Amino acid sequence: MLGKGGHAALTLMSLLLLLWQEVVGIEVPQDPKIQQDLKQPPTIIKQSVKDYIVDPRDNTIIIECEAKGNPAPTFSWRKNGKFVNIGKDPRVTMRKRLGTLEIAFRNGGRPEDYEGEYQCFAANDLGVALSNKILFRVSKAPLWPKEELEPVTVIEGSTLVLPCNPPPGLPPPIIFWMDSNMTPIPQDRRVSMGLNGDLYFSNVLAQDGQKDYSCNARFNFTHTIQQKNPFTLKVQTMEPYNQTSYNTSDPYGGRKVAESPPTFLSPSGSESVKMVLRDEQLLLECIAAGLPTPTIKWFKRGGDLPAQKVKFENYNKTLKIVHVSEEDAGEYVCRAINHLGSVRHSIYVEVKAAPYWLDKPTNLVLAPEENGRLVCRANGNPKPDIQWLMNGEPIESAQPSVNREVLGDTILFHKVLMESSAVYQCNASNQHGYLMANAFVSVLDMPPRMLGPKNQLIKVLVNNRTFLNCPFFGSPLPVLRWFKNGQGSGLDGGQYRAYINGTLEIKRARKEDEGIYTCVANSILGKAENQVQLEVKEPTRIIEAPTNQSAVRRSKARFHCKVASDPSLSTKVTWTKDGEPLYLGGRLKKDEESLTISSVSEDDEGMYTCTVKSEIDQDSASARLTVLEDASPIPLRPDRPDPPMDLDLSDAAARSVRLTWIPGNDHRSPVTEFLVQFEEDRWEPGRWQDLSSFPGDLNSVILQLAPYVNYQFRVIAINAVGRSQPSRPSPRYKTTGSPPDAIPRDLRGWGSKKDNMEITWEPLHDLERNGPNLQYNVWWRRKDSGDDWTNVTTFQSKYIVHPTETYVPYEIKIQARNDLGSGPESNVVIGFSGEDKPKEAPTELQISKVGGTSAKIHWKPVDLSSVQGEFKEYRLYYSRESSLVPGLVVSKEKKTTGFYTTVPEPSGILKDLVPYSRYQMFMVVANNRFESPPSNNVIFTTEEDVPDAPRFFRINRRSLDTLYLQWGKPLEPNGILIGYQLIYHRVNGSRLGPQQIQTFLQNETEFTLRLPDRSARYKFNLSALTKVGAGEVYAEESPHFTNEAHIDQVDIATQGWFIGLMCAIALIILILLIVCFIKRSRGGKYPIRDKKDLPLDPVDQKDQDGSFDYHSDEDNKPLQGSQTSLDGNVKESDDSLVDYGEGGDGQFNEDGSFIGQYTVKKDKDETEGNESSEATSPVNAIYSLA
């Protein structure tokens, strides 16, 4: 715990950091001219590893140290903290202009004599940089101590441990067991080697005594193997052992062997403790004895084993977790089970951590009189101590400076001077290790300088986004401004945007933007300027592109390619065939607008591309030539292309590979696109996914790939008809891994409970992993607290911080990492811990200014700190309890409305109320999850208002001259109804007649309107009335009534009885007509049927042609039943049957049918009557029916 003094120091440090006016360090460009003139303190760029183990057989041992700086640094070394005089030892030399040590042993000497801790110092006039402390050690492979091993006697079925005790080596040896024949000892659930190298037998079988057992140690550095004297095993059996009786299902061959419950051989006891460092490998081991051989099971107390991290080895006896993180701490339990019982052992895992960087100090370049700071933040378990050094010496011993102040892990620089340049070292250490970083502070004084070429001429295309670059540098950093044609103020805004790096953006270049642009850099040390001339050109384009052609062999083919370009730009047109340059001459001739191929042959078939280039742009277009055999080919329909063939991979790189293929037959439709797909066998094996599309004239492309993916590819050709079948897959190509490039998305922190914060994020996609064992580093700290970051590493996509205070803000950031390194850190986001129920309720809820549909409410607010969460709103609950209209039943639905306000005297308007009603309401304050207790309850009534529209309004027509109007009472009268008001107009086309008003009492709901004429139409507006006035209008319009109009809105013509009646009447009329015609023809015109058996009258004279002429006194009488006019006269018409019998021209056959034609009028000519067609005669038609 910190004392009062410690708390005061932390408070002062936080205050100083918050008030510090910091200048961002100057970024020095890598321009050779700048670097040549720039004075720079030394920086270590290469060094040997901290733990440096070498092979004693090496003739030369190299300890690396390289640094850069200006002036070039000089080097010195310290061994075990003491200066090394290289010139005194003939075996030790230092490489020229480098600090690397070389120790040679060709002429004798022992590497062991040079073991120790080395540190390199690189110095120049501006400071001293330090390397890490390099622990130099020589690999050792000691011999096994000589010992005589007595034979080991054991009873069959009992347990056995054969100790190995390998000699200590550097680095430790790899242990394995073999017999004297150099055959590895087979291991299984019963027999296995422990982590300490001992060989464990859960129970011994008789056949275990048939071989000996020897422990071997392999030392990788010296490439040697040391072998321990073998153990001889004698197994005593209770019954004779017959080797032929052994089988795996009954290893004891039917002999009686005492069974035993499980016990642990390793570890001992019921619990143990295991400490492991963060990012290292955790190995937990449980080896059990028993008969039958026990089964081992693992679980973690209080949670599940992390499935993605845990691996089980050595037949489930070893639990392995790689890249241990803090969340892996806890109690792990192994359980050994056989049918006689079980036993458990608890292993308490503690995760400690060597120091690791949170904020590693970086070089700082400042101008004189500027401020800056160096930050060195590291974490670990236990928390590391931070020590600052200046030029290799503790900063406490350095000369005090008013321009420098050390505050824990931060050094503040105030108004630096030229002599403030130095190299600072930050050392973070705890009992598990240390970190050291160099960071120099360089105070630079340099006038403004232009870094780009002078007086550039830049040509750009019209309407394109354009950037004019003006790189510059100076210390202090100059201010740069742009001018056009040497006039006006600086260019920034509107069409222009100036960037701090000196670039001027023209959002859309136009002709009027042409001119000379001047960039001017100013600082207190001077001024520098440069000019850029801008010319805006029209684009180069093909305005008449070549088209696909088919040409008969030995004929001529011609491709057009007409170009338009800026007149001031020179252009060049080139032709290629199938991507290869086309050599012109002979049969191939080119002019300004076309390519002509004479005497076409099969070799000319292919894809022809016209490309036009200017100095700033280009355009191209392609067309295919198909060669036909003869002049009258049978036209073949285009079809889908054949799949590409012979996929080949080349030019392999870390994240790319070249894919080449041979296109298949395009079947008379040129390939316009190739689609490359991929399949990988790690996360979604067998699933083909689209990778990239390429133009149809390419067959060799560079594919951009993701790291750590085992790819295979296939290609699909696409033409106007469709897609080809996929090609055969390519050989597999595995990209190397790398640290993640992507940052986990959607990082957020929120509380699921009042005392926690769930940090969640969207995990990286499979193709974003970039390497094995993807994990996430998550950091968090209380916002504005000045606390150090707390972090955890997890495989999951969620981490719960617990316990926390209620609803406090946290800063959160995240980073993905894998076995190959860490990816970029995310931006810091703000999350909040969980919310709790608000403690206070709003008080003094009251109401004022009540209207018919709204009311104004007031209340006393709560202290926002009592909300215990994000203040969401004041939430008003209200419900309509009843209507003041007698007998009207209402729904008591509870409604809510929110008011967001933080003013001292809040108020709000409650809207959408129902007039003339009784309401009840109360208020709570709400955060995202909870509501406060309710406020006081308030009951109020709303004022009377105008009513709603009538519930319905119908218009019926009960006769041709009346309208029947009927309506229903409003659903919400909004007060006491006093009647209804009907306003109506007569409608004449688009015009309305005079307004007429009719009022009714509250119990009247119908009205009959007499129409002045049958075609009159009306527009009606009906509204209900209260004492406040007329309510909402219900508008209706009467339909357009005609003679065929429907009465009472009933369509008689569609009624079944009416249709049946009309059909019956029509049938009766038809029968009567037929009967009348038959009667008429028999009585007056055709007596043969009645008199055919009687002799002829004397008056009946036979004509010379053999026909008879019949006359009757009734010839001039009208037919019975014929239609008469309204005045009773016979209506003569062309269809009258009276005329049919007149004249002597009508002739009949013996069956009574007409011969010849009938005459329409008596005075008509015979020839005129003969013009009628017999088929059109209605009488003929009727007689045919008779």
Side-chain angles (χ1 to χ4, degrees):
M1 299 292 290
L2 288 171
K4 292 183 179 179
H7 284 297
L10 284 176
T11 304
L12 177 61
M13 184 189 307
S14 301
L15 182 61
L16 285 173
L17 290 175
L18 287 172
L19 298 177
W20 188 247
Q21 297 294 321
E22 180 188 345
V23 173
V24 178
I26 300 172
E27 184 176 349
V28 180
Q30 298 301 314
D31 187 272
K33 296 179 181 178
I34 298 293
Q35 293 292 328
Q36 183 179 355
D37 298 338
L38 179 66
K39 300 296 183 182
Q40 181 175 303
T43 301
I44 301 292
I45 58 175
K46 191 175 184 180
Q47 57 185 318
S48 294
V49 295
K50 290 181 181 179
D51 194 4
Y52 187 33
I53 301 174
V54 298
D55 191 334
R57 297 170 297 178
D58 291 343
N59 291 327
T60 302
I61 294 174
I62 296 174
I63 307 177
E64 290 185 315
C65 179
E66 296 180 13
K68 66 177 182 178
N70 189 11
T74 59
F75 297 88
S76 61
W77 284 86
R78 292 183 186 177
K79 177 184 176 184
N80 299 329
K82 296 180 180 180
F83 174 74
V84 176
N85 190 343
I86 296 174
K88 287 187 176 182
D89 192 335
R91 294 190 182 91
V92 181
T93 58
M94 187 185 298
R95 290 180 179 174
K96 191 175 182 180
R97 291 189 293 276
L98 299 175
T100 298
L101 288 182
E102 293 187 1
I103 309 175
F105 301 101
R106 293 183 181 86
N107 299 321
R110 295 180 342 117
E112 289 82 355
D113 297 337
Y114 292 87
E115 288 186 324
E117 190 176 65
Y118 290 78
Q119 191 169 26
C120 174
F121 290 70
N124 67 8
D125 297 339
L126 302 179
V128 180
L130 277 62
S131 73
N132 289 322
K133 293 181 178 180
I134 303 167
L135 181 59
F136 171 67
R137 295 185 292 173
V138 179
S139 176
K140 297 176 178 61
L143 297 175
W144 230 296
K146 293 184 178 180
E147 56 182 339
E148 293 292 334
L149 299 177
E150 297 293 332
V152 178
T153 302
V154 64
I155 299 174
E156 185 179 22
S158 62
T159 64
L160 174 65
V161 180
L162 298 181
C164 180
N165 301 324
L170 185 66
I174 297 173
I175 306 301
F176 57 96
W177 286 80
M178 304 182 78
D179 61 17
S180 55
N181 296 324
M182 302 304 291
T183 302
I185 300 298
Q187 299 188 28
D188 52 24
R189 290 178 52 243
R190 186 180 64 87
V191 181
S192 61
M193 185 181 74
L195 296 176
N196 62 355
D198 294 348
L199 190 64
Y200 292 86
F201 294 77
S202 294
N203 50 77
V204 176
L205 299 179
Q207 62 267 25
D208 292 335
Q210 296 178 0
K211 54 187 169 226
D212 52 16
Y213 300 84
S214 177
C215 184
N216 297 262
R218 182 171 66 239
F219 298 89
N220 285 341
F221 257 81
T222 58
H223 304 288
T224 58
I225 295 178
Q226 304 288 350
Q227 188 175 46
K228 185 175 182 175
N229 288 339
F231 289 96
T232 301
L233 186 60
K234 294 184 178 179
V235 181
Q236 297 179 346
T237 60
M238 302 299 294
E239 298 180 17
Y241 168 65
N242 181 6
Q243 182 176 355
T244 60
S245 64
Y246 171 79
N247 62 76
T248 54
S249 61
D250 183 13
Y252 296 98
R255 301 185 311 282
K256 294 181 180 179
V257 178
E259 295 183 339
S260 59
T263 58
F264 281 115
L265 298 175
S266 175
S268 59
S270 61
E271 60 182 41
S272 56
V273 178
K274 176 79 171 180
M275 192 277 289
V276 64
L277 292 182
R278 181 180 187 265
D279 286 334
E280 290 190 353
Q281 180 175 273
L282 172 64
L283 293 173
L284 302 180
E285 180 181 65
C286 280
I287 301 178
L291 183 64
T293 303
T295 299
I296 304 296
K297 293 185 177 180
W298 293 87
F299 60 92
K300 186 178 181 181
R301 188 84 68 185
D304 296 330
L305 291 171
Q308 294 181 334
K309 297 176 67 175
V310 169
K311 294 181 179 179
F312 297 103
E313 298 178 345
N314 198 13
Y315 306 95
N316 234 42
K317 300 174 188 178
T318 303
L319 182 148
K320 176 180 177 181
I321 300 179
V322 295
H323 296 295
V324 171
S325 59
E326 288 80 356
E327 66 179 0
D328 296 320
E331 180 185 355
Y332 292 78
V333 180
C334 61
R335 184 184 181 197
I337 310 166
N338 69 11
H339 72 267
L340 296 180
S342 65
V343 63
R344 298 187 180 202
H345 183 92
S346 294
I347 305 175
Y348 295 90
V349 175
E350 298 179 354
V351 179
K352 303 293 185 180
Y356 55 91
W357 290 119
L358 297 177
D359 284 310
K360 185 177 180 180
T362 56
N363 297 333
L364 184 63
V365 179
L366 298 173
E369 297 297 314
E370 285 186 344
N371 303 334
R373 68 176 179 174
L374 290 179
V375 178
C376 175
R377 292 197 178 103
N379 201 3
N381 188 6
K383 189 165 184 63
D385 297 322
I386 302 295
Q387 180 189 14
W388 285 100
L389 295 89
M390 177 179 169
N391 294 329
E393 300 297 333
I395 200 167
E396 296 81 8
S397 62
Q399 183 178 356
S401 172
V402 295
N403 309 101
R404 181 184 67 239
E405 183 177 7
V406 180
L407 295 175
D409 57 10
T410 304
I411 302 180
L412 301 179
F413 298 95
H414 176 67
K415 293 185 177 180
V416 295
L417 306 174
M418 294 299 295
E419 54 268 24
S420 300
S421 296
V423 182
Y424 293 84
Q425 290 82 33
C426 173
N427 186 296
S429 60
N430 64 12
Q431 65 196 62
H432 303 297
Y434 78 94
L435 293 172
M436 196 196 68
N438 292 278
F440 66 68
V441 175
S442 178
V443 182
L444 186 60
D445 191 355
M446 182 178 290
R449 299 175 65 172
M450 291 295 166
L451 305 180
K454 293 285 187 179
N455 302 322
Q456 274 186 296
L457 172 61
I458 296 180
K459 300 177 182 181
V460 300
L461 297 177
V462 69
N463 295 327
N464 273 15
R465 189 180 179 193
T466 301
F467 295 93
L468 304 182
N469 296 319
C470 182
F472 67 98
F473 181 68
S475 181
L477 194 65
V479 176
L480 186 130
R481 300 175 71 191
W482 282 90
F483 302 90
K484 181 182 178 185
N485 296 329
Q487 300 175 356
S489 58
L491 300 175
D492 195 7
Q495 172 79 347
Y496 303 100
R497 180 181 178 186
Y499 294 87
I500 59 173
N501 66 350
T503 298
L504 178 69
E505 176 188 355
I506 304 175
K507 296 178 181 177
R508 189 175 181 183
R510 301 164 299 183
K511 276 292 183 181
E512 52 265 34
D513 293 320
E514 290 187 327
I516 296 176
Y517 291 79
T518 304
C519 57
V520 181
N522 283 288
S523 76
I524 59 174
L525 300 180
K527 179 177 76 171
E529 65 179 49
N530 197 0
Q531 290 185 342
V532 179
Q533 182 178 351
L534 178 66
E535 294 182 359
V536 181
K537 307 294 184 182
E538 292 293 331
T540 302
R541 62 191 187 279
I542 297 174
I543 58 176
E544 184 179 350
T547 57
N548 295 331
Q549 294 190 30
S550 297
V552 178
R553 193 158 52 91
R554 293 186 297 276
S555 66
K556 182 186 292 185
R558 187 175 187 181
F559 290 108
H560 291 276
C561 185
K562 190 174 181 180
V563 175
S565 65
D566 193 285
S568 63
L569 295 177
S570 60
T571 59
K572 182 180 180 181
V573 178
T574 58
W575 287 87
T576 59
K577 175 178 177 287
D578 297 330
E580 299 295 330
L582 201 59
Y583 298 100
L584 303 175
R587 295 186 302 107
L588 278 70
K589 294 181 180 180
K590 182 189 83 169
D591 56 26
E592 291 183 357
E593 297 184 357
S594 65
L595 172 71
T596 303
I597 308 172
S598 303
S599 188
V600 170
S601 66
E602 289 83 351
D603 295 337
D604 295 323
E605 188 168 271
M607 181 71 70
Y608 289 80
T609 302
C610 168
T611 302
V612 55
K613 291 184 180 180
S614 71
E615 58 183 288
I616 60 174
D617 68 335
Q618 69 176 43
D619 194 11
S620 63
S622 300
R624 174 168 289 277
L625 174 62
T626 303
V627 179
L628 305 177
E629 286 298 324
D630 51 53
S632 56
I634 299 175
L636 296 176
R637 294 178 59 189
D639 202 353
R640 302 184 185 196
D642 288 342
M645 302 172 291
D646 297 340
L647 272 62
D648 180 62
L649 300 177
S650 61
D651 300 345
R655 296 201 183 190
S656 65
V657 69
R658 177 177 291 277
L659 175 64
T660 304
W661 64 88
I662 298 176
N665 192 325
D666 63 7
H667 292 292
R668 298 162 299 283
S669 179
V671 173
T672 57
E673 181 182 353
F674 286 107
L675 174 63
V676 178
Q677 296 181 324
F678 75 94
E679 181 266 350
E680 50 81 25
D681 60 0
R682 181 171 281 112
W683 295 289
E684 293 184 276
R687 177 173 175 256
W688 288 94
Q689 306 176 55
D690 293 347
L691 180 61
S692 296
S693 294
F694 299 95
D697 55 350
L698 297 181
N699 72 324
S700 183
V701 296
I702 297 292
L703 303 180
Q704 300 301 321
L705 309 177
Y708 195 60
V709 179
N710 194 17
Y711 286 97
Q712 67 174 346
F713 307 99
R714 69 183 188 185
V715 184
I716 296 173
I718 303 173
N719 64 10
V721 180
R723 292 187 173 195
S724 73
Q725 291 295 317
S727 68
R728 291 181 177 274
S730 70
R732 284 203 177 269
Y733 175 66
K734 186 174 184 179
T735 53
T736 57
S738 72
D741 301 315
I743 298 174
R745 294 166 286 273
D746 196 23
L747 175 65
R748 56 190 295 259
W750 58 281
S752 59
K753 297 181 180 179
K754 66 180 181 180
D755 57 352
N756 77 1
M757 178 178 66
E758 290 194 11
I759 303 175
T760 60
W761 58 92
E762 182 182 333
L764 297 189
H765 300 145
D766 290 336
L767 294 181
E768 295 174 330
R769 292 171 173 264
N770 289 10
N773 294 317
L774 177 68
Q775 304 174 70
Y776 301 96
N777 293 333
V778 185
W779 290 270
W780 69 92
R781 66 180 177 189
R782 182 89 172 262
K783 187 175 183 290
D784 300 329
S785 67
D787 295 342
D788 292 331
W789 290 95
T790 303
N791 77 304
V792 70
T793 302
T794 177
F795 280 88
Q796 311 301 323
S797 59
K798 178 176 76 172
Y799 184 78
I800 300 177
V801 180
H802 178 273
T804 65
E805 297 181 30
T806 300
Y807 197 68
V808 292
Y810 283 86
E811 294 179 319
I812 308 168
K813 60 182 180 178
I814 193 171
Q815 173 192 54
R817 59 171 292 177
N818 57 29
D819 285 355
L820 304 174
S822 299
E825 291 184 9
S826 70
N827 295 326
V828 174
V829 302
I830 304 301
F832 287 86
S833 56
E835 299 179 326
D836 201 356
K837 292 183 179 179
K839 297 178 180 178
E840 297 181 10
T843 56
E844 299 181 19
L845 178 64
Q846 53 187 314
I847 195 161
S848 65
K849 297 181 181 178
V850 181
T853 59
S854 65
K856 188 172 184 180
I857 59 173
H858 308 263
W859 66 93
K860 193 171 183 180
V862 302
D863 185 348
L864 292 183
S865 63
S866 71
V867 176
Q868 298 202 100
E870 179 187 3
F871 170 65
K872 199 70 177 175
E873 63 184 2
Y874 290 102
R875 190 170 294 154
L876 186 73
Y877 286 89
Y878 63 99
S879 60
R880 184 185 182 194
E881 297 296 309
S882 62
S883 173
L884 300 182
V885 177
L888 182 63
V889 179
V890 300
S891 170
K892 297 184 179 182
E893 177 187 0
K894 184 180 287 186
K895 298 182 179 179
T896 63
T897 186
F899 302 95
Y900 182 87
T901 177
T902 57
V903 299
E905 297 181 0
S907 63
I909 302 296
L910 179 59
K911 300 178 180 179
D912 298 327
L913 301 177
V914 179
Y916 210 54
S917 298
R918 179 175 177 271
Y919 278 88
Q920 180 176 252
M921 69 177 182
F922 64 86
M923 179 176 281
V924 297
V925 65
N927 57 33
N928 287 310
R929 297 189 62 209
F930 299 103
E931 295 179 346
S932 72
S935 69
N936 56 298
N937 206 42
V938 175
I939 296 176
F940 65 96
T941 58
T942 53
E943 298 292 331
E944 190 172 4
D945 207 342
V946 296
D948 287 356
R951 184 162 50 90
F952 65 87
F953 184 25
R954 289 195 288 265
I955 302 173
N956 298 325
R957 190 160 191 172
R958 294 186 172 175
S959 66
L960 295 176
D961 56 357
T962 59
L963 289 177
Y964 176 69
L965 281 63
Q966 187 179 19
W967 58 88
K969 293 183 178 181
L971 291 176
E972 288 291 351
N974 297 342
I976 303 299
L977 283 180
I978 61 175
Y980 299 91
Q981 177 177 272
L982 178 67
I983 301 175
Y984 56 99
H985 307 260
R986 183 167 180 176
V987 179
N988 184 13
S990 60
R991 293 178 297 174
L992 296 178
Q995 174 178 296
Q996 301 181 58
I997 301 177
Q998 188 82 25
T999 57
F1000 308 93
L1001 296 177
Q1002 69 271 17
N1003 56 353
E1004 292 185 76
T1005 58
E1006 58 184 27
F1007 173 62
T1008 300
L1009 176 65
R1010 186 168 298 278
L1011 301 177
D1013 58 72
R1014 298 178 180 179
S1015 61
R1017 294 176 59 219
Y1018 284 87
K1019 183 175 182 180
F1020 298 95
N1021 291 322
L1022 178 68
S1023 57
L1025 302 173
T1026 64
K1027 69 178 182 179
V1028 180
E1032 184 180 349
V1033 171
Y1034 196 135
E1036 274 291 355
E1037 191 170 323
S1038 63
H1040 181 53
F1041 294 110
T1042 65
N1043 290 338
E1044 299 167 357
H1046 310 148
I1047 306 301
D1048 281 346
Q1049 295 185 343
V1050 176
D1051 190 355
I1052 300 176
T1054 61
Q1055 302 300 306
W1057 62 269
F1058 181 77
I1059 296 173
L1061 177 62
M1062 292 297 101
C1063 290
I1065 292 173
L1067 182 60
I1068 292 171
I1069 292 173
L1070 180 61
I1071 294 173
L1072 289 175
L1073 285 174
I1074 293 172
V1075 171
C1076 288
F1077 281 125
I1078 292 174
K1079 288 291 184 181
R1080 171 67 177 170
S1081 61
R1082 286 181 177 176
K1085 290 288 185 178
Y1086 195 17
I1088 295 177
R1089 292 184 183 268
D1090 296 332
K1091 303 176 182 181
K1092 59 184 177 179
D1093 295 330
L1094 299 177
L1096 293 175
D1097 288 337
V1099 295
D1100 294 335
Q1101 302 295 326
K1102 187 175 181 181
D1103 291 340
Q1104 295 178 356
D1105 58 0
S1107 62
F1108 295 90
D1109 185 16
Y1110 298 96
H1111 300 281
S1112 172
D1113 295 335
E1114 296 178 357
D1115 282 352
N1116 294 324
K1117 293 181 181 179
L1119 285 174
Q1120 295 179 3
S1122 63
Q1123 186 176 357
T1124 60
S1125 63
L1126 292 176
D1127 58 357
N1129 297 325
V1130 177
K1131 181 180 178 182
E1132 296 187 5
S1133 70
D1134 292 346
D1135 293 332
S1136 176
L1137 295 179
V1138 177
D1139 299 325
Y1140 293 167
E1142 298 299 333
D1145 297 330
Q1147 299 180 11
F1148 296 88
N1149 289 332
E1150 291 183 358
D1151 61 355
S1153 61
F1154 281 107
I1155 300 175
Q1157 310 296 328
Y1158 66 89
T1159 56
V1160 178
K1161 297 291 183 181
K1162 291 182 179 182
D1163 56 351
K1164 285 198 174 186
D1165 300 307
E1166 185 178 0
T1167 57
E1168 187 177 352
N1170 289 339
E1171 291 176 359
S1172 299
S1173 171
E1174 182 177 290
T1176 60
S1177 170
V1179 180
N1180 289 345
I1182 293 174
Y1183 275 108
S1184 297
L1185 289 173

